[in-house]
Amino acid sequence: MLWIFLLLDILTILAHIFLRHSLGFFDLDKEGNLSSLYAGVKLWIGATGAFFYAWYLQRTKSNRMLVWAWGACAIMLAYLGIDDMMVIHERLGFVINNRLRINGYYGESFNWLIYFSPLALIGIGVLYMVAKNLWHSYRVSALLIGIGTSIMVLSLLVEAYGGYILTHPPFNTSYYYFLIIAEESFEMIGTSCVVGGIFNTMLRVIKEKL
């Protein structure tokens, strides 16, 4: 499954590079694009796998904290899938900006990184607990989740850096669009690794334990 995700990631990036001018649906810098729909489906697959493993842990009377961690992971991935397709983070950020009377392109497009940072830290902690739980029994899955989480964090840092460049002109347009491709690529590949690790765990449990 991981290789399928990575292949689709590459095809999505190539569609952006070669087709974004002819059809905006392939433009990674536009909301509601192909990448958003694809990411939503991929994250729901991960959420399904996480819910399954939480159910398995509860069924085998495992540590309750682990059950909660996997359940939280499932809810988080399901929300991120919806968020990717409905652009909740930027729309909510826009509402908060208006309430706080923050205006300008930076305020509209990048302040969500600040507003959602506590939730992002919680999410990183949840994924850490999930990966740690799998380390001894499903090490490959644990490594995929850990690597994927690190790449997703890198994508957020690249987006923040891109926002900084955009609001401190003059800036090199080509370099900024390179950062867009890099940020979206990191996000897609990181998500693929996390979801691939979770999906691999689900398949191993079904094959070996059930």
Side-chain angles (χ1 to χ4, degrees):
M1 181 60 75
L2 173 63
W3 298 113
I4 295 175
F5 286 148
L6 292 177
L7 175 61
L8 292 174
D9 292 342
I10 293 171
L11 292 175
T12 303
I13 294 166
L14 291 176
H16 166 80
I17 294 173
F18 295 107
L19 299 175
R20 73 180 187 276
H21 294 302
S22 58
L23 190 60
F25 182 59
F26 295 110
D27 192 339
L28 296 177
D29 199 32
K30 295 183 183 294
E31 302 300 341
N33 54 30
L34 173 65
S35 174
S36 298
L37 297 175
Y38 163 55
V41 173
K42 181 165 56 176
L43 286 161
W44 287 346
I45 292 173
T48 301
F51 269 124
F52 170 83
Y53 200 71
W55 167 81
Y56 168 74
L57 290 176
Q58 186 176 38
R59 182 171 177 263
T60 54
K61 302 187 186 305
S62 300
N63 186 299
R64 181 167 295 183
M65 183 63 71
L66 292 177
V67 176
W68 280 101
W70 277 94
C73 179
I75 293 171
M76 176 182 70
L77 293 178
Y79 164 75
L80 289 175
I82 296 172
D83 186 293
D84 249 317
M85 289 193 287
M86 299 182 65
V87 205
I88 295 173
H89 60 284
E90 290 203 358
R91 289 176 178 172
L92 183 58
F94 182 75
V95 171
I96 296 174
N97 289 339
N98 284 339
R99 292 295 181 182
L100 297 178
R101 297 184 179 180
I102 299 174
N103 297 310
Y105 190 80
Y106 176 85
E108 293 178 6
S109 297
F110 299 101
N111 278 5
W112 73 266
L113 289 165
I114 298 172
Y115 303 145
F116 280 77
S117 57
L119 294 177
L121 291 174
I122 293 172
I124 292 170
V126 167
L127 289 173
Y128 169 78
M129 290 181 65
V130 163
K132 184 179 179 181
N133 170 235
L134 298 176
W135 181 251
H136 294 294
S137 52
Y138 303 109
R139 186 157 296 187
V140 172
S141 295
L143 284 172
L144 284 174
I145 293 170
I147 292 170
T149 303
S150 300
I151 296 174
M152 290 169 72
V153 170
L154 181 59
S155 77
L156 293 176
L157 295 176
V158 172
E159 181 164 1
Y161 177 57
Y164 174 81
I165 288 178
L166 194 63
T167 54
H168 290 77
F171 61 90
N172 186 306
T173 304
S174 298
Y175 179 56
Y176 174 70
Y177 280 106
F178 166 77
L179 290 177
I180 291 175
I181 295 174
E183 180 251 317
E184 294 290 344
S185 300
F186 288 147
E187 181 181 344
M188 283 189 285
I189 293 171
T191 302
S192 292
C193 288
V194 170
V195 173
I198 292 172
F199 194 81
N200 180 62
T201 301
M202 182 181 72
L203 294 181
R204 289 280 300 275
V205 169
I206 291 173
K207 182 178 179 180
E208 299 172 4
K209 308 292 185 181
L210 299 180

